[in-house]
Amino acid sequence: MNPRLHAVRLGLRRGLIEFRHQMTSTQDVFFTVMTTASFVVVLYLQRDATLPGTDLPLAAATLPGMLGMLVPVTSMVGAVGMLSVEREDGTLLRAKAMPQGMVGYLVSRVTSLSLSTVVSVIVMIVAGLFLVDGLTGTGAGGWLTVAWLTLLGLLSSLPLGAIVGSLAANPQAAAGLSMLTVGGLTAVSGIFYPISALAGWMQGVAQIFPLYWLGLGMRSALLPDGAAAAEIGGSWRPVETTLVLVAWAVVGLLAAPPILRRMARRESGSAMQTRRDRAMQRIG
Amino acid sequence: METVRELPDGLDRVNTAAIEVRGLKMSYGTKEVLRDVGFTVAAGEVIALLGPNGAGKTTTIEIMEGFRAPSAGHVRVLGVEPIRGDERWRARLGVVLQSWRDHGRWRVRELLHHLGRYYEPYAPQSRSPFDADELIAAVGLTEQGEQRVRQLSGGQRRRLDVAIGIVGRPEVLFLDEPTAGFDPQARRDFHDLVHRLSDLDDTTILLTTHDLDEAEKLADRILILAGGRIVADGSPDRLSREFSRDAQVRWSQGGEHFVHATDDATGFVRRLFEQHGEEVGDLEVRRATLEDTYMAIVKREEA
């Protein structure tokens, strides 16, 4: 029995168990339902509007953007939150105290966060099928692109979440940091209004980050080819999309392990106690 | 404490003590917490590490667990320098920290079973991980097996922590204040468990506690950490004799009660009877308790 492989298998198992815990927790389900519901409400309100200058339903253009946002937001905010909370409650230290425990821990987190992200994406698509005209016409190739982008989105966002979660001093700081990042990137991502309407420098900033490309990719999968005219350069730019997302994934996957290791090395019972004492002072 | 033995196949095998600490120093910034800590623990021994708050007990334990790098000194646990310990070494240790709130959503049995499996690849036939049910029974959580961890009471949660600490049948077990918050029954059950681990499994146990009664009951040997050094090291009985010979003698005479503190109780009582003979009643001689000894040692160190 190879111990590391054994721990990977245990991590998968643990990820599934904790995903089940999430699915049966009223609090978590409520959160997911609320997030999805808010998106659905937007789609519903847009049901009669069309994209200016076209006869394309506005909702059809919004949904791909939402999908493109859902993947990094769910996985990144989830990773940041989990890491910062689990550093404080001792889950991480427990993993550190067991043989190959950190391997099991990381695999389980990747598993459960990926599963919850995929579930959110599926819920959103199902809602879209009912609310958005034309979505039912998407072919197998389009859905395959959605799946591929979801995977790339996970690969590029989870390591970033792990890095932010490792660097944040406490869960409050972590939540603030992740909200700030996500909020800032969403504003310039072209998800809620066409990016071509933004100032040139903002377009440049948006195109550095994965969020814009995930939105663009999702639109290429779910919109008719003619809609590409509204994009930068009048093209879906599939090659650039893949290159940018893969680059983010590679950078994240290279940078995250040493940062995680450094964070884990510094974890100890007394470090945890100090953080908790500080947390109590904040409350008290 | 090392003996090198030549094996028939020509390999040197080093029989080391379970824990070996020499000249251990630890500073946080300019604050020196551990100045020169040294002690040895033989395999199978149960050691209680005592000391006032802030004396560095937790720091010492964390260094031995490999969670913290010492500033200087020689530390070996099962022959390995903790900060460089690999996963195989890790599998031979059990760790129970002061407080843990993790895995609240898991059910007790589910969690113990899952965590036990991490030790499977490392376990020799003779020391396979505990069966979850067996372990749950051993820490008295049979009725809570299907409960969620966050629903456990403080004492139950602590017993679960201990169960997780020993699920891999460790050769060395570190317990940092394991019985804080236990009621008397839970405390007694825990003491039985420690005795069982040390008797049946020959587990080496190092625990910190503030309960001197507990230390006296459980430990073969007591270490007192004060002022950044080990200031006392010996069996509870030996410590009492070595550090404080004071005893209290109580008696009654003519309807009145008397108390006298002396370092020669036997001589005092002999003279008492020589002088007053039949008049002496209700005689009671009480040796200094571990608590008296502890207070005397700590006070002397802090002076």
Side-chain angles (χ1 to χ4, degrees):
Chain A
M1 193 173 352
N2 178 322
R4 189 160 284 226
L5 203 65
H6 181 69
V8 168
R9 248 181 262 132
L10 286 176
L12 283 171
R13 166 123 204 82
R14 180 195 172 97
L16 287 173
I17 292 175
E18 298 194 319
F19 176 65
R20 204 183 61 218
H21 289 161
Q22 277 173 33
M23 288 295 112
T24 51
S25 142
T26 353
Q27 200 188 335
D28 284 23
V29 171
F30 181 74
F31 184 74
T32 312
V33 166
M34 285 309 287
T35 319
T36 317
S38 61
F39 284 122
V40 170
V41 166
V42 173
L43 290 182
Y44 181 76
L45 293 176
Q46 292 181 342
R47 70 193 179 285
D48 293 328
T50 57
L51 206 59
T54 68
D55 54 357
L56 206 62
L58 186 58
T62 314
L63 178 75
M66 286 177 176
L67 285 176
M69 188 179 147
L70 201 61
V71 176
V73 169
T74 317
S75 53
M76 193 179 143
V77 174
V80 172
M82 264 185 183
L83 254 186
S84 56
V85 167
E86 291 179 345
R87 279 164 73 191
E88 198 159 283
D89 74 10
T91 309
L92 203 85
L93 212 49
R94 180 85 73 194
K96 207 176 147 180
M98 320 205 69
Q100 303 286 0
M102 287 307 278
V103 173
Y105 175 79
L106 283 178
V107 171
S108 75
R109 286 304 168 266
V110 170
T111 309
S112 65
L113 285 167
S114 303
L115 282 173
S116 39
T117 305
V118 168
V119 165
S120 316
V121 167
I122 290 173
V123 168
M124 180 75 93
I125 288 175
V126 170
L129 287 174
F130 285 103
L131 289 168
V132 180
D133 292 336
L135 203 60
T136 40
T138 306
W143 294 124
L144 212 62
T145 308
V146 171
W148 163 242
L149 286 167
T150 305
L151 178 70
L152 274 183
L154 283 170
L155 284 175
S156 55
S157 317
L158 281 175
L160 290 186
I163 291 170
V164 175
S166 301
L167 298 179
N170 57 59
Q172 287 76 11
L177 213 56
S178 58
M179 282 329 231
L180 206 69
T181 320
V182 168
L185 290 181
T186 309
V188 297
S189 66
I191 277 180
F192 290 106
Y193 33 84
I195 190 165
S196 37
L198 294 178
W201 68 271
M202 278 208 222
Q203 288 185 22
V205 171
Q207 288 179 71
I208 297 172
F209 295 99
L211 206 54
Y212 164 73
W213 297 98
L214 282 168
L216 176 67
M218 293 290 184
R219 284 195 293 279
S220 81
L222 301 176
L223 290 180
D225 284 343
E231 302 295 340
I232 297 172
S235 151
W236 293 128
R237 295 192 286 170
V239 178
E240 288 91 329
T241 304
T242 308
L243 282 179
V244 172
L245 292 177
V246 167
W248 272 98
V250 168
V251 169
L253 289 171
L254 285 178
I259 294 176
L260 276 168
R261 255 200 298 276
R262 175 171 157 274
M263 179 270 293
R265 203 171 43 236
R266 293 177 166 196
E267 280 311 297
S268 68
S270 38
M272 191 167 84
Q273 193 64 43
T274 313
R275 272 201 300 275
R276 194 171 307 162
D277 292 346
R278 242 181 269 136
M280 295 309 278
Q281 279 172 5
R282 275 198 301 272
I283 296 164
Chain B
M1 292 303 264
E2 289 185 7
T3 55
V4 181
R5 197 172 60 194
E6 193 79 15
L7 290 179
D9 55 2
L11 286 169
D12 285 339
R13 194 174 135 177
V14 185
N15 282 343
T16 46
I19 300 174
E20 220 181 34
V21 177
R22 276 202 308 268
L24 173 63
K25 290 184 177 47
M26 185 74 194
S27 321
Y28 298 114
T30 55
K31 191 171 169 247
E32 211 176 14
V33 179
L34 304 176
R35 282 172 219 280
D36 181 14
V37 171
F39 59 90
T40 314
V41 181
E45 258 191 308
V46 178
I47 303 288
L49 181 61
L50 307 178
N53 283 333
K57 300 189 293 292
T58 298
T59 300
T60 307
I61 280 211
E62 285 183 349
I63 289 169
M64 288 187 285
E65 289 164 346
F67 287 174
R68 199 174 272 285
S71 306
H74 169 93
V75 181
R76 293 290 181 275
V77 173
L78 293 169
V80 171
E81 192 182 350
I83 202 73
R84 299 182 202 287
D86 60 5
E87 302 297 314
R88 200 174 324 141
W89 173 77
R90 177 68 59 205
R92 298 164 70 194
L93 304 188
V95 170
V96 178
L97 301 179
Q98 270 190 27
S99 63
W100 247 326
R101 297 175 306 171
D102 58 319
H103 292 94
R105 287 174 172 178
W106 287 66
R107 294 181 194 281
V108 170
R109 175 174 291 106
E110 176 183 52
L111 181 61
L112 274 177
H113 175 73
H114 177 79
L115 295 181
R117 296 202 57 198
Y118 281 84
Y119 294 89
E120 283 171 359
Y122 301 95
Q125 290 295 316
S126 55
R127 268 186 117 88
S128 58
F130 274 108
D131 171 68
D133 287 306
E134 194 187 332
L135 194 52
I136 287 171
V139 298
L141 289 175
T142 307
E143 281 171 36
Q144 284 77 32
E146 291 308 313
Q147 260 183 39
R148 291 198 190 273
V149 170
R150 64 162 163 241
Q151 289 165 342
L152 299 179
S153 72
Q156 290 168 346
R157 162 89 232 200
R158 206 74 193 109
R159 276 181 277 161
L160 173 65
D161 285 340
V162 172
I164 295 173
I166 61 177
V167 69
R169 241 182 246 264
E171 290 168 54
V172 174
L173 176 62
F174 296 106
L175 298 161
D176 204 355
E177 298 192 16
T179 55
F182 275 27
D183 63 27
Q185 181 63 47
R187 191 176 296 261
R188 174 163 298 182
D189 291 346
F190 172 77
H191 292 173
D192 290 344
L193 180 66
V194 169
H195 283 307
R196 227 176 318 151
L197 282 172
S198 116
D199 293 347
L200 300 182
D201 268 0
D202 214 22
T203 312
T204 308
I205 299 174
L206 193 139
L207 61 98
T208 70
T209 180
H210 280 298
D211 183 342
L212 295 156
D213 189 43
E214 176 169 280
E216 201 163 4
K217 275 191 187 128
L218 290 180
D220 300 321
R221 204 143 56 84
I222 285 175
L223 305 173
I224 298 179
L225 183 62
R229 293 180 303 116
I230 299 288
V231 295
D233 178 348
S235 69
D237 199 45
R238 213 195 99 200
L239 288 190
S240 302
R241 280 170 205 287
E242 197 171 309
F243 286 90
S244 131
R245 288 177 216 287
D246 280 0
Q248 276 191 347
V249 182
R250 290 161 185 273
W251 74 98
S252 67
Q253 196 181 339
E256 265 189 278
H257 288 269
F258 298 91
V259 181
H260 179 78
T262 172
D263 60 358
D264 176 20
T266 314
F268 179 81
V269 171
R270 190 184 301 119
R271 283 191 298 280
L272 191 70
F273 278 111
E274 279 167 8
Q275 284 178 23
H276 304 286
E278 296 278 322
E279 293 167 42
V280 177
D282 300 318
L283 181 74
E284 193 184 316
V285 178
R286 200 175 66 95
R287 227 178 211 301
T289 60
L290 182 60
E291 187 174 328
D292 301 329
T293 311
Y294 172 81
M295 294 310 286
I297 293 173
V298 170
K299 205 172 285 168
R300 191 189 61 191
E301 281 309 312
E302 288 180 342

